[in-house]
């Protein structure tokens, strides 16, 4: 009898945390003063899988503490998502690099967003209406994350698009986005390669697929990122070492060895 009571009490104590975790679906914004800098939209499928999008300025400079030289808007689709211990991680792939964001609900309309594997402090996010737009941005203004909005009444109404995003009709300067958001504002660079990458990442061609390109680049994904990118549908090879064989979207195979958080690609492509 006592054992049953203990189990019931444990279930009741765990319920609020689980209910909170399940409420991560929706749109969450990093808002500084009166301007929305980022919007993350999280969606959970019926099978429990997570997906999402990240809407941000097309051009901006930041060192993680302040944001400036902001213009335009672009949306990236997550290439992978996973839930662990009530927190949801989304992976966004760009220019051969993985940006991993973790979301943990801290209140009814509040979320803590962590930019994984960076020294940046977590960012406070607030719930906004789905379909909201970033902005409005004032030309030449610097937005300090110390002024981030942490609490605001939630209104389930999409603001007028023209009022929510007042962008200049012509952009005379293209400010590059640093790979890891840690570039100083004065060092934010512009290049044709950056422009092409932004246009490519914002197109609908970004899909949840498995390809050899996911394993390449200057910084290959970690084991955790690979799990979020490709899931757990693989064949374990042999015993002892964690060797996995994945079937790619085009029918090719990839065999990788996992050692801690590092992955080593044994081969990737068509079988001989």
């Amino acid at each position: 009898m006592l054992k049953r009571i203990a189990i019931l009490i444990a279930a009741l104590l765990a319920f609020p945390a689980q209910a909170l975790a399940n409420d991560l679906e929706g749109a969450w914004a990093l808002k500084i003063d009166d301007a929305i800098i980022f919007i993350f939209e999280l969606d959970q499928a019926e099978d429990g899988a997570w997906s999402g999008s990240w809407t941000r300025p097309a051009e901006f400079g930041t060192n993680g503490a302040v944001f400036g030289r902001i213009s335009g808007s672009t949306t990236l689709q997550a290439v992978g998502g996973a839930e662990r211990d009530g927190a949801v991680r989304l992976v966004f792939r760009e220019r051969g690099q993985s940006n991993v964001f973790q979301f943990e609900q801290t209140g009814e309309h509040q979320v803590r967003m962590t930019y994984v594997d960076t020294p940046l402090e977590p960012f406070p996010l607030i719930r906004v209406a789905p379909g909201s737009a970033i902005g409005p941005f004032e030309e030449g203004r610097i937005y300090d994350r110390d002024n981030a909005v942490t609490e605001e009444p939630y209104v389930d109404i999409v603001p007028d698009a023209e009022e929510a995003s007042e962008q200049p009709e012509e952009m005379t300067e293209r400010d590059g986005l640093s790979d890891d958001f840690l570039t100083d504002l004065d060092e934010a660079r512009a290049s044709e390669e950056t422009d092409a990458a932004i246009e490519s990442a914002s197109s609908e061609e970004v899909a949840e697929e498995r390809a050899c390109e996911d394993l390449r680049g200057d910084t290959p994904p970690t084991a955790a990122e690979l799990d979020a990118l490709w899931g757990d549908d693989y064949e374990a090879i042999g015993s002892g070492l964690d060797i996995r064989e994945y079937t790619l979207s085009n029918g090719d195979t990839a065999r990788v060895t996992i050692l801690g958080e590092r992955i080593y690609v044994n081969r990737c492509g068509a079988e001989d």
Side-chain angles (χ1 to χ4, degrees):
M1 183 65 177
L2 291 176
K3 183 177 181 181
R4 291 182 179 179
I5 294 175
I7 293 174
L8 178 60
I9 293 174
L12 291 174
L13 291 174
F15 176 77
Q18 183 62 37
L20 201 61
N22 290 338
D23 201 28
L24 277 169
E25 281 192 288
W28 302 95
L30 170 61
K31 186 174 183 179
I32 297 178
D33 295 325
D34 295 325
I36 293 178
I37 310 298
F38 297 151
I39 295 178
F40 295 91
E41 294 206 30
L42 280 65
D43 182 64
Q44 187 176 29
E46 292 183 359
D47 63 359
W50 285 89
S51 60
S53 63
W54 173 24
T55 300
R56 69 181 193 208
E59 313 293 341
F60 68 99
T62 182
N63 61 2
V66 295
F67 298 81
R69 296 207 293 266
I70 302 174
S71 63
S73 175
T74 187
T75 299
L76 307 182
Q77 299 298 321
V79 298
E83 181 176 358
R84 297 179 181 176
D85 299 325
V88 171
R89 287 191 176 191
L90 294 181
V91 180
F92 297 89
R93 193 80 169 162
E94 185 179 11
R95 287 176 284 164
Q97 304 252 350
S98 293
N99 293 312
V100 182
F101 299 97
Q102 177 169 293
F103 305 87
E104 301 168 88
Q105 194 159 11
T106 57
E108 184 179 3
H109 300 306
Q110 299 165 311
V111 155
R112 177 172 59 244
M113 181 273 282
T114 302
Y115 186 13
V116 179
D117 293 331
T118 75
L120 299 181
E121 292 294 323
F123 293 84
L125 307 183
I126 58 172
R127 188 187 293 276
V128 294
S132 297
I134 60 174
F137 302 119
E138 297 178 20
E139 185 175 359
R141 180 174 174 179
I142 298 297
Y143 295 87
D144 192 325
R145 62 161 291 164
D146 285 346
N147 297 325
V149 177
T150 59
E151 188 174 359
E152 185 174 78
Y154 173 65
V155 180
D156 191 14
I157 299 176
V158 178
D160 183 84
E162 293 184 0
E163 295 180 2
S165 183
E166 299 175 1
Q167 306 297 341
E169 294 183 0
E170 296 183 3
M171 290 183 285
T172 58
E173 181 177 325
R174 305 284 285 182
D175 294 324
L177 170 65
S178 62
D179 290 341
D180 58 3
F181 292 176
L182 303 180
T183 302
D184 185 85
L185 286 172
D186 292 335
E187 297 177 353
R189 65 186 185 280
S191 69
E192 294 181 0
E193 179 181 353
T194 301
D195 295 344
I198 292 172
E199 293 175 4
S200 174
S202 62
S203 71
E204 294 183 355
E205 295 179 1
V206 177
E208 296 181 12
E209 296 182 347
R210 293 179 176 182
C212 290
E213 285 73 17
D214 296 337
L215 305 177
R216 297 167 182 158
D218 296 334
T219 56
T222 64
E225 292 170 355
L226 185 64
D227 287 341
L229 282 168
W230 287 3
D232 56 4
D233 182 16
Y234 61 83
E235 180 182 355
I237 305 297
S239 60
L241 290 177
D242 185 1
I243 302 176
R244 307 174 183 179
E245 189 164 275
Y246 296 86
T247 300
L248 305 183
S249 299
N250 64 359
D252 291 349
T253 59
R255 180 174 293 182
V256 301
T257 299
I258 309 295
L259 292 177
E261 275 302 301
R262 298 194 63 181
I263 68 169
Y264 297 86
V265 181
N266 301 336
R267 63 177 176 82
C268 190
E271 294 188 19
D272 296 334

